[in-house]
Short mmCIF file of all heavy atoms in Angstrom, two decimals:
data_model
loop_
_atom_site.label_atom_id
_atom_site.label_comp_id
_atom_site.label_asym_id
_atom_site.label_seq_id
_atom_site.Cartn_x
_atom_site.Cartn_y
_atom_site.Cartn_z
N MET A 1 -251.37 -19.95 114.21
CA MET A 1 -252.14 -19.56 115.38
C MET A 1 -252.53 -18.08 115.24
O MET A 1 -251.71 -17.25 114.90
CB MET A 1 -251.30 -19.76 116.64
CG MET A 1 -251.96 -19.23 117.89
SD MET A 1 -251.08 -19.55 119.42
CE MET A 1 -249.83 -18.31 119.37
N LYS A 2 -253.76 -17.77 115.53
CA LYS A 2 -254.21 -16.38 115.57
C LYS A 2 -253.91 -15.80 116.94
O LYS A 2 -253.86 -16.51 117.93
CB LYS A 2 -255.72 -16.31 115.32
CG LYS A 2 -256.14 -16.69 113.94
CD LYS A 2 -257.64 -16.54 113.79
CE LYS A 2 -258.08 -16.90 112.40
NZ LYS A 2 -259.53 -16.72 112.24
N GLN A 3 -253.70 -14.49 116.96
CA GLN A 3 -253.45 -13.80 118.23
C GLN A 3 -254.38 -12.61 118.36
O GLN A 3 -254.73 -11.97 117.37
CB GLN A 3 -252.02 -13.29 118.30
CG GLN A 3 -250.98 -14.36 118.43
CD GLN A 3 -249.60 -13.77 118.60
OE1 GLN A 3 -249.29 -12.72 118.08
NE2 GLN A 3 -248.77 -14.48 119.35
N MET A 4 -254.77 -12.31 119.58
CA MET A 4 -255.55 -11.12 119.88
C MET A 4 -254.70 -10.24 120.78
O MET A 4 -254.10 -10.73 121.76
CB MET A 4 -256.84 -11.48 120.62
CG MET A 4 -257.63 -10.26 121.05
SD MET A 4 -258.93 -10.60 122.26
CE MET A 4 -260.09 -11.50 121.28
N VAL A 5 -254.63 -8.97 120.47
CA VAL A 5 -253.90 -8.01 121.30
C VAL A 5 -254.91 -7.05 121.90
O VAL A 5 -255.73 -6.48 121.18
CB VAL A 5 -252.86 -7.24 120.46
CG1 VAL A 5 -252.18 -6.18 121.30
CG2 VAL A 5 -251.86 -8.20 119.85
N VAL A 6 -254.84 -6.88 123.21
CA VAL A 6 -255.72 -5.96 123.92
C VAL A 6 -254.83 -4.90 124.56
O VAL A 6 -253.90 -5.24 125.28
CB VAL A 6 -256.55 -6.70 125.00
CG1 VAL A 6 -257.40 -5.72 125.77
CG2 VAL A 6 -257.38 -7.80 124.37
N VAL A 7 -255.12 -3.65 124.30
CA VAL A 7 -254.34 -2.55 124.89
C VAL A 7 -255.20 -1.90 125.97
O VAL A 7 -256.32 -1.48 125.72
CB VAL A 7 -253.95 -1.52 123.82
CG1 VAL A 7 -253.21 -0.35 124.45
CG2 VAL A 7 -253.12 -2.17 122.73
N ILE A 8 -254.66 -1.85 127.18
CA ILE A 8 -255.37 -1.27 128.32
C ILE A 8 -254.60 -0.04 128.78
O ILE A 8 -253.40 -0.13 129.06
CB ILE A 8 -255.47 -2.30 129.48
CG1 ILE A 8 -256.25 -3.53 129.02
CG2 ILE A 8 -256.12 -1.65 130.70
CD1 ILE A 8 -256.24 -4.66 130.02
N GLY A 9 -255.27 1.08 128.83
CA GLY A 9 -254.62 2.31 129.31
C GLY A 9 -254.46 2.25 130.82
O GLY A 9 -255.42 1.99 131.54
N LEU A 10 -253.26 2.51 131.29
CA LEU A 10 -252.97 2.51 132.72
C LEU A 10 -252.80 3.94 133.20
O LEU A 10 -252.35 4.81 132.45
CB LEU A 10 -251.69 1.72 133.01
CG LEU A 10 -251.70 0.25 132.61
CD1 LEU A 10 -250.31 -0.34 132.82
CD2 LEU A 10 -252.73 -0.53 133.41
N GLY A 11 -253.12 4.16 134.46
CA GLY A 11 -252.90 5.47 135.05
C GLY A 11 -251.43 5.69 135.37
O GLY A 11 -250.67 4.74 135.57
N ARG A 12 -251.03 6.92 135.43
CA ARG A 12 -249.63 7.23 135.73
C ARG A 12 -249.22 6.79 137.13
O ARG A 12 -248.06 6.54 137.40
CB ARG A 12 -249.38 8.73 135.61
CG ARG A 12 -249.47 9.23 134.20
CD ARG A 12 -249.25 10.72 134.15
NE ARG A 12 -249.52 11.19 132.80
CZ ARG A 12 -248.75 12.06 132.18
NH1 ARG A 12 -247.71 12.57 132.79
NH2 ARG A 12 -249.04 12.43 130.96
N ASP A 13 -250.19 6.70 138.02
CA ASP A 13 -249.90 6.35 139.41
C ASP A 13 -249.99 4.85 139.68
O ASP A 13 -249.80 4.44 140.82
CB ASP A 13 -250.85 7.08 140.36
CG ASP A 13 -250.67 8.59 140.29
OD1 ASP A 13 -249.56 9.05 139.94
OD2 ASP A 13 -251.64 9.32 140.59
N ASP A 14 -250.31 4.06 138.65
CA ASP A 14 -250.41 2.61 138.85
C ASP A 14 -249.05 2.03 139.20
O ASP A 14 -248.05 2.32 138.55
CB ASP A 14 -250.95 1.92 137.59
CG ASP A 14 -252.43 2.14 137.40
OD1 ASP A 14 -253.13 2.34 138.41
OD2 ASP A 14 -252.89 2.11 136.25
N THR A 15 -249.00 1.24 140.25
CA THR A 15 -247.77 0.60 140.69
C THR A 15 -247.63 -0.76 140.03
O THR A 15 -248.56 -1.25 139.39
CB THR A 15 -247.76 0.42 142.22
OG1 THR A 15 -248.79 -0.52 142.57
CG2 THR A 15 -247.99 1.74 142.94
N SER A 16 -246.49 -1.39 140.21
CA SER A 16 -246.31 -2.74 139.67
C SER A 16 -247.29 -3.71 140.32
O SER A 16 -247.74 -4.65 139.68
CB SER A 16 -244.86 -3.21 139.84
OG SER A 16 -244.48 -3.19 141.20
N LEU A 17 -247.66 -3.47 141.57
CA LEU A 17 -248.66 -4.32 142.23
C LEU A 17 -250.02 -4.15 141.56
O LEU A 17 -250.74 -5.13 141.35
CB LEU A 17 -248.75 -4.00 143.72
CG LEU A 17 -249.78 -4.82 144.52
CD1 LEU A 17 -249.47 -6.31 144.42
CD2 LEU A 17 -249.81 -4.36 145.96
N ASP A 18 -250.38 -2.91 141.20
CA ASP A 18 -251.64 -2.67 140.47
C ASP A 18 -251.63 -3.42 139.14
O ASP A 18 -252.62 -4.03 138.76
CB ASP A 18 -251.84 -1.18 140.20
CG ASP A 18 -252.01 -0.35 141.45
OD1 ASP A 18 -252.55 -0.87 142.45
OD2 ASP A 18 -251.59 0.82 141.43
N VAL A 19 -250.50 -3.38 138.45
CA VAL A 19 -250.37 -4.06 137.16
C VAL A 19 -250.48 -5.57 137.35
O VAL A 19 -251.16 -6.26 136.59
CB VAL A 19 -249.05 -3.68 136.46
CG1 VAL A 19 -248.80 -4.54 135.24
CG2 VAL A 19 -249.04 -2.20 136.10
N GLU A 20 -249.81 -6.10 138.37
CA GLU A 20 -249.87 -7.54 138.64
C GLU A 20 -251.31 -7.97 138.95
O GLU A 20 -251.78 -8.99 138.43
CB GLU A 20 -248.96 -7.91 139.81
CG GLU A 20 -249.00 -9.38 140.14
CD GLU A 20 -248.16 -9.75 141.35
OE1 GLU A 20 -247.80 -8.86 142.14
OE2 GLU A 20 -247.87 -10.94 141.51
N THR A 21 -252.02 -7.20 139.75
CA THR A 21 -253.40 -7.52 140.09
C THR A 21 -254.28 -7.52 138.85
O THR A 21 -255.08 -8.44 138.64
CB THR A 21 -253.95 -6.53 141.14
OG1 THR A 21 -253.12 -6.60 142.31
CG2 THR A 21 -255.38 -6.84 141.51
N LEU A 22 -254.14 -6.49 138.02
CA LEU A 22 -254.91 -6.42 136.78
C LEU A 22 -254.57 -7.58 135.87
O LEU A 22 -255.45 -8.20 135.27
CB LEU A 22 -254.66 -5.08 136.08
CG LEU A 22 -255.40 -4.86 134.77
CD1 LEU A 22 -256.91 -4.98 134.95
CD2 LEU A 22 -255.02 -3.51 134.17
N ALA A 23 -253.28 -7.91 135.76
CA ALA A 23 -252.85 -9.03 134.91
C ALA A 23 -253.47 -10.34 135.38
O ALA A 23 -253.95 -11.14 134.57
CB ALA A 23 -251.32 -9.13 134.90
N LEU A 24 -253.48 -10.55 136.69
CA LEU A 24 -254.08 -11.78 137.23
C LEU A 24 -255.58 -11.83 136.95
O LEU A 24 -256.12 -12.90 136.62
CB LEU A 24 -253.81 -11.88 138.73
CG LEU A 24 -252.37 -12.23 139.11
CD1 LEU A 24 -252.16 -12.04 140.61
CD2 LEU A 24 -252.04 -13.65 138.69
N ASP A 25 -256.25 -10.69 137.07
CA ASP A 25 -257.69 -10.64 136.77
C ASP A 25 -257.95 -10.97 135.31
O ASP A 25 -258.86 -11.75 134.99
CB ASP A 25 -258.27 -9.26 137.10
CG ASP A 25 -258.35 -8.98 138.59
OD1 ASP A 25 -258.21 -9.94 139.39
OD2 ASP A 25 -258.56 -7.80 138.95
N VAL A 26 -257.17 -10.36 134.41
CA VAL A 26 -257.33 -10.61 132.98
C VAL A 26 -257.04 -12.06 132.65
O VAL A 26 -257.80 -12.72 131.93
CB VAL A 26 -256.43 -9.66 132.16
CG1 VAL A 26 -256.36 -10.07 130.70
CG2 VAL A 26 -256.91 -8.22 132.29
N MET A 27 -255.96 -12.59 133.20
CA MET A 27 -255.59 -13.99 132.94
C MET A 27 -256.67 -14.93 133.45
O MET A 27 -257.00 -15.92 132.79
CB MET A 27 -254.24 -14.30 133.59
CG MET A 27 -253.09 -13.61 132.89
SD MET A 27 -251.51 -13.64 133.77
CE MET A 27 -251.35 -15.30 134.29
N GLY A 28 -257.24 -14.64 134.61
CA GLY A 28 -258.29 -15.48 135.16
C GLY A 28 -259.52 -15.51 134.26
O GLY A 28 -260.09 -16.57 134.01
N GLU A 29 -259.93 -14.35 133.79
CA GLU A 29 -261.09 -14.27 132.91
C GLU A 29 -260.83 -14.99 131.59
O GLU A 29 -261.68 -15.73 131.10
CB GLU A 29 -261.47 -12.81 132.64
CG GLU A 29 -262.71 -12.61 131.82
CD GLU A 29 -263.98 -13.10 132.48
OE1 GLU A 29 -264.05 -13.08 133.73
OE2 GLU A 29 -264.91 -13.50 131.76
N VAL A 30 -259.65 -14.79 131.02
CA VAL A 30 -259.29 -15.45 129.76
C VAL A 30 -259.26 -16.96 129.95
O VAL A 30 -259.78 -17.72 129.12
CB VAL A 30 -257.94 -14.90 129.24
CG1 VAL A 30 -257.40 -15.74 128.09
CG2 VAL A 30 -258.08 -13.45 128.80
N ASN A 31 -258.67 -17.42 131.04
CA ASN A 31 -258.60 -18.86 131.31
C ASN A 31 -259.99 -19.44 131.53
O ASN A 31 -260.27 -20.56 131.09
CB ASN A 31 -257.71 -19.14 132.52
CG ASN A 31 -256.25 -18.91 132.23
OD1 ASN A 31 -255.82 -18.96 131.09
ND2 ASN A 31 -255.47 -18.65 133.26
N ASP A 32 -260.86 -18.71 132.21
CA ASP A 32 -262.24 -19.18 132.43
C ASP A 32 -262.97 -19.41 131.12
O ASP A 32 -263.86 -20.24 131.04
CB ASP A 32 -263.03 -18.17 133.27
CG ASP A 32 -262.63 -18.18 134.73
OD1 ASP A 32 -261.87 -19.09 135.15
OD2 ASP A 32 -263.05 -17.25 135.46
N ARG A 33 -262.58 -18.69 130.09
CA ARG A 33 -263.21 -18.83 128.77
C ARG A 33 -262.53 -19.88 127.90
O ARG A 33 -262.87 -20.05 126.74
CB ARG A 33 -263.25 -17.49 128.06
CG ARG A 33 -264.16 -16.50 128.77
CD ARG A 33 -264.07 -15.13 128.16
NE ARG A 33 -264.94 -14.21 128.86
CZ ARG A 33 -266.12 -13.81 128.40
NH1 ARG A 33 -266.56 -14.25 127.25
NH2 ARG A 33 -266.83 -12.96 129.09
N GLY A 34 -261.52 -20.57 128.46
CA GLY A 34 -260.88 -21.66 127.74
C GLY A 34 -259.68 -21.27 126.90
O GLY A 34 -259.21 -22.06 126.09
N TYR A 35 -259.17 -20.07 127.11
CA TYR A 35 -257.99 -19.60 126.37
C TYR A 35 -256.83 -19.43 127.33
O TYR A 35 -257.01 -19.48 128.55
CB TYR A 35 -258.28 -18.27 125.66
CG TYR A 35 -259.37 -18.37 124.63
CD1 TYR A 35 -260.68 -18.04 124.95
CD2 TYR A 35 -259.09 -18.80 123.34
CE1 TYR A 35 -261.69 -18.12 124.01
CE2 TYR A 35 -260.09 -18.90 122.39
CZ TYR A 35 -261.39 -18.56 122.73
OH TYR A 35 -262.38 -18.65 121.79
N GLY A 36 -255.66 -19.19 126.80
CA GLY A 36 -254.48 -18.95 127.63
C GLY A 36 -253.84 -17.62 127.27
O GLY A 36 -253.94 -17.17 126.13
N VAL A 37 -253.19 -17.00 128.21
CA VAL A 37 -252.45 -15.75 127.99
C VAL A 37 -250.99 -16.12 127.74
O VAL A 37 -250.36 -16.76 128.59
CB VAL A 37 -252.58 -14.80 129.20
CG1 VAL A 37 -251.69 -13.59 129.04
CG2 VAL A 37 -254.02 -14.40 129.40
N ASP A 38 -250.46 -15.73 126.58
CA ASP A 38 -249.06 -16.03 126.25
C ASP A 38 -248.10 -15.05 126.88
O ASP A 38 -247.03 -15.43 127.34
CB ASP A 38 -248.86 -16.03 124.73
CG ASP A 38 -249.60 -17.16 124.05
OD1 ASP A 38 -249.79 -18.21 124.68
OD2 ASP A 38 -249.99 -16.99 122.88
N SER A 39 -248.45 -13.77 126.87
CA SER A 39 -247.57 -12.78 127.46
C SER A 39 -248.33 -11.50 127.75
O SER A 39 -249.38 -11.23 127.16
CB SER A 39 -246.39 -12.46 126.53
OG SER A 39 -246.84 -11.83 125.35
N ILE A 40 -247.80 -10.72 128.68
CA ILE A 40 -248.33 -9.40 129.02
C ILE A 40 -247.13 -8.46 129.13
O ILE A 40 -246.14 -8.78 129.80
CB ILE A 40 -249.10 -9.42 130.36
CG1 ILE A 40 -250.32 -10.34 130.25
CG2 ILE A 40 -249.51 -8.01 130.77
CD1 ILE A 40 -251.07 -10.52 131.55
N SER A 41 -247.23 -7.32 128.46
CA SER A 41 -246.16 -6.32 128.50
C SER A 41 -246.73 -4.96 128.87
O SER A 41 -247.87 -4.66 128.57
CB SER A 41 -245.47 -6.20 127.13
OG SER A 41 -244.85 -7.42 126.79
N VAL A 42 -245.91 -4.15 129.52
CA VAL A 42 -246.26 -2.78 129.85
C VAL A 42 -245.15 -1.88 129.33
O VAL A 42 -243.99 -2.06 129.71
CB VAL A 42 -246.45 -2.58 131.37
CG1 VAL A 42 -246.64 -1.11 131.70
CG2 VAL A 42 -247.61 -3.40 131.88
N ASP A 43 -245.50 -0.97 128.44
CA ASP A 43 -244.53 -0.05 127.84
C ASP A 43 -243.30 -0.79 127.31
O ASP A 43 -242.17 -0.37 127.52
CB ASP A 43 -244.11 1.03 128.84
CG ASP A 43 -245.26 1.95 129.20
OD1 ASP A 43 -246.19 2.08 128.39
OD2 ASP A 43 -245.22 2.54 130.30
N GLY A 44 -243.53 -1.90 126.65
CA GLY A 44 -242.44 -2.66 126.04
C GLY A 44 -241.69 -3.58 126.98
O GLY A 44 -240.81 -4.31 126.56
N LYS A 45 -242.02 -3.58 128.26
CA LYS A 45 -241.37 -4.45 129.23
C LYS A 45 -242.27 -5.63 129.54
O LYS A 45 -243.44 -5.45 129.89
CB LYS A 45 -241.06 -3.70 130.53
CG LYS A 45 -240.07 -2.58 130.36
CD LYS A 45 -239.84 -1.88 131.68
CE LYS A 45 -238.91 -0.70 131.49
NZ LYS A 45 -238.74 0.06 132.72
N GLU A 46 -241.73 -6.83 129.41
CA GLU A 46 -242.55 -8.02 129.68
C GLU A 46 -242.85 -8.14 131.17
O GLU A 46 -241.96 -8.07 132.00
CB GLU A 46 -241.82 -9.27 129.19
CG GLU A 46 -242.67 -10.52 129.31
CD GLU A 46 -242.03 -11.73 128.69
OE1 GLU A 46 -241.16 -12.32 129.36
OE2 GLU A 46 -242.39 -12.07 127.55
N VAL A 47 -244.13 -8.29 131.48
CA VAL A 47 -244.59 -8.48 132.85
C VAL A 47 -244.81 -9.97 133.10
O VAL A 47 -244.48 -10.49 134.15
CB VAL A 47 -245.90 -7.70 133.10
CG1 VAL A 47 -246.44 -7.97 134.49
CG2 VAL A 47 -245.68 -6.22 132.89
N PHE A 48 -245.39 -10.64 132.11
CA PHE A 48 -245.67 -12.07 132.20
C PHE A 48 -245.33 -12.71 130.87
O PHE A 48 -245.65 -12.20 129.82
CB PHE A 48 -247.16 -12.29 132.51
CG PHE A 48 -247.57 -13.74 132.51
CD1 PHE A 48 -247.36 -14.53 133.63
CD2 PHE A 48 -248.12 -14.32 131.39
CE1 PHE A 48 -247.70 -15.87 133.63
CE2 PHE A 48 -248.48 -15.65 131.38
CZ PHE A 48 -248.27 -16.43 132.50
N GLY A 49 -244.64 -13.85 130.95
CA GLY A 49 -244.29 -14.58 129.74
C GLY A 49 -244.23 -16.07 130.01
O GLY A 49 -244.80 -16.55 131.00
N ASN A 50 -243.50 -16.79 129.16
CA ASN A 50 -243.48 -18.25 129.29
C ASN A 50 -242.77 -18.75 130.54
O ASN A 50 -242.89 -19.91 130.89
CB ASN A 50 -242.90 -18.90 128.03
CG ASN A 50 -241.48 -18.46 127.76
OD1 ASN A 50 -240.91 -17.67 128.49
ND2 ASN A 50 -240.91 -18.95 126.68
N THR A 51 -242.06 -17.89 131.24
CA THR A 51 -241.41 -18.29 132.50
C THR A 51 -242.16 -17.76 133.73
O THR A 51 -241.67 -17.88 134.84
CB THR A 51 -239.96 -17.80 132.55
OG1 THR A 51 -239.94 -16.38 132.44
CG2 THR A 51 -239.13 -18.42 131.43
N GLY A 52 -243.33 -17.15 133.51
CA GLY A 52 -244.12 -16.62 134.61
C GLY A 52 -243.96 -15.11 134.71
O GLY A 52 -243.62 -14.45 133.74
N PHE A 53 -244.21 -14.57 135.90
CA PHE A 53 -244.11 -13.12 136.09
C PHE A 53 -242.64 -12.71 136.15
O PHE A 53 -241.79 -13.39 136.71
CB PHE A 53 -244.83 -12.69 137.37
CG PHE A 53 -246.30 -12.52 137.20
CD1 PHE A 53 -247.17 -13.55 137.51
CD2 PHE A 53 -246.81 -11.33 136.70
CE1 PHE A 53 -248.53 -13.40 137.34
CE2 PHE A 53 -248.18 -11.18 136.51
CZ PHE A 53 -249.04 -12.21 136.84
N ASN A 54 -242.35 -11.54 135.58
CA ASN A 54 -241.01 -10.97 135.55
C ASN A 54 -240.74 -10.30 136.90
O ASN A 54 -241.28 -9.24 137.20
CB ASN A 54 -240.92 -9.96 134.40
CG ASN A 54 -239.55 -9.29 134.30
OD1 ASN A 54 -238.76 -9.33 135.23
ND2 ASN A 54 -239.30 -8.68 133.17
N SER A 55 -239.90 -10.91 137.70
CA SER A 55 -239.64 -10.39 139.05
C SER A 55 -238.96 -9.02 139.01
O SER A 55 -239.16 -8.20 139.91
CB SER A 55 -238.81 -11.38 139.86
OG SER A 55 -237.58 -11.63 139.22
N ASP A 56 -238.16 -8.75 137.98
CA ASP A 56 -237.51 -7.43 137.86
C ASP A 56 -238.55 -6.32 137.70
O ASP A 56 -238.45 -5.27 138.31
CB ASP A 56 -236.54 -7.39 136.69
CG ASP A 56 -235.32 -8.25 136.92
OD1 ASP A 56 -234.98 -8.54 138.10
OD2 ASP A 56 -234.70 -8.66 135.92
N PHE A 57 -239.57 -6.57 136.87
CA PHE A 57 -240.62 -5.58 136.70
C PHE A 57 -241.41 -5.40 137.99
O PHE A 57 -241.68 -4.28 138.40
CB PHE A 57 -241.58 -5.98 135.56
CG PHE A 57 -242.72 -5.03 135.40
CD1 PHE A 57 -242.57 -3.88 134.65
CD2 PHE A 57 -243.94 -5.25 136.02
CE1 PHE A 57 -243.62 -2.98 134.51
CE2 PHE A 57 -244.99 -4.37 135.90
CZ PHE A 57 -244.83 -3.21 135.14
N LEU A 58 -241.77 -6.50 138.61
CA LEU A 58 -242.62 -6.43 139.81
C LEU A 58 -241.92 -5.78 140.98
O LEU A 58 -242.56 -5.23 141.87
CB LEU A 58 -243.12 -7.82 140.18
CG LEU A 58 -244.03 -8.48 139.14
CD1 LEU A 58 -244.42 -9.88 139.59
CD2 LEU A 58 -245.26 -7.64 138.87
N SER A 59 -240.60 -5.81 141.02
CA SER A 59 -239.87 -5.21 142.14
C SER A 59 -239.61 -3.72 141.95
O SER A 59 -239.03 -3.09 142.82
CB SER A 59 -238.54 -5.95 142.35
OG SER A 59 -237.69 -5.76 141.24
N GLN A 60 -240.05 -3.15 140.83
CA GLN A 60 -239.80 -1.73 140.56
C GLN A 60 -240.55 -0.81 141.52
O GLN A 60 -240.02 0.20 141.93
CB GLN A 60 -240.19 -1.38 139.12
CG GLN A 60 -239.24 -1.93 138.12
CD GLN A 60 -239.66 -1.60 136.71
OE1 GLN A 60 -240.69 -0.97 136.49
NE2 GLN A 60 -238.88 -2.02 135.75
N ASN A 61 -241.78 -1.11 141.83
CA ASN A 61 -242.59 -0.23 142.70
C ASN A 61 -243.26 -1.07 143.75
O ASN A 61 -244.18 -1.69 143.60
CB ASN A 61 -243.66 0.53 141.92
CG ASN A 61 -243.05 1.56 141.00
OD1 ASN A 61 -241.97 2.03 141.26
ND2 ASN A 61 -243.76 1.91 139.96
#
């Protein structure tokens, strides 16, 4: 399987809610094009993976 990695620069003031919203937008666009998102990480911490959104990350801010 081939993989594509997209790196998005985030602002220092972005909250976990901002990250979740952006992740949902990206996932929606990718899904609309017939692909799936396997995982999303921020600074090495998984935000979204095979079990869904990481509640520990989302509860940080």
Side-chain angles (χ1 to χ4, degrees):
M1 174 175 79
K2 292 182 179 181
Q3 290 184 328
M4 176 194 290
V5 176
V6 177
V7 177
I8 299 172
L10 299 174
R12 292 179 187 223
D13 296 334
D14 286 332
T15 66
S16 58
L17 180 59
D18 296 329
V19 171
E20 179 184 17
T21 301
L22 180 58
L24 287 169
D25 289 346
V26 169
M27 290 168 46
E29 184 65 29
V30 169
N31 289 336
D32 286 350
R33 293 173 180 257
Y35 298 95
V37 173
D38 293 331
S39 66
I40 297 175
S41 297
V42 173
D43 294 335
K45 296 179 183 176
E46 186 173 80
V47 176
F48 175 82
N50 60 0
T51 60
F53 278 95
N54 179 344
S55 59
D56 291 338
F57 177 84
L58 296 178
S59 66
Q60 288 179 358
N61 291 335

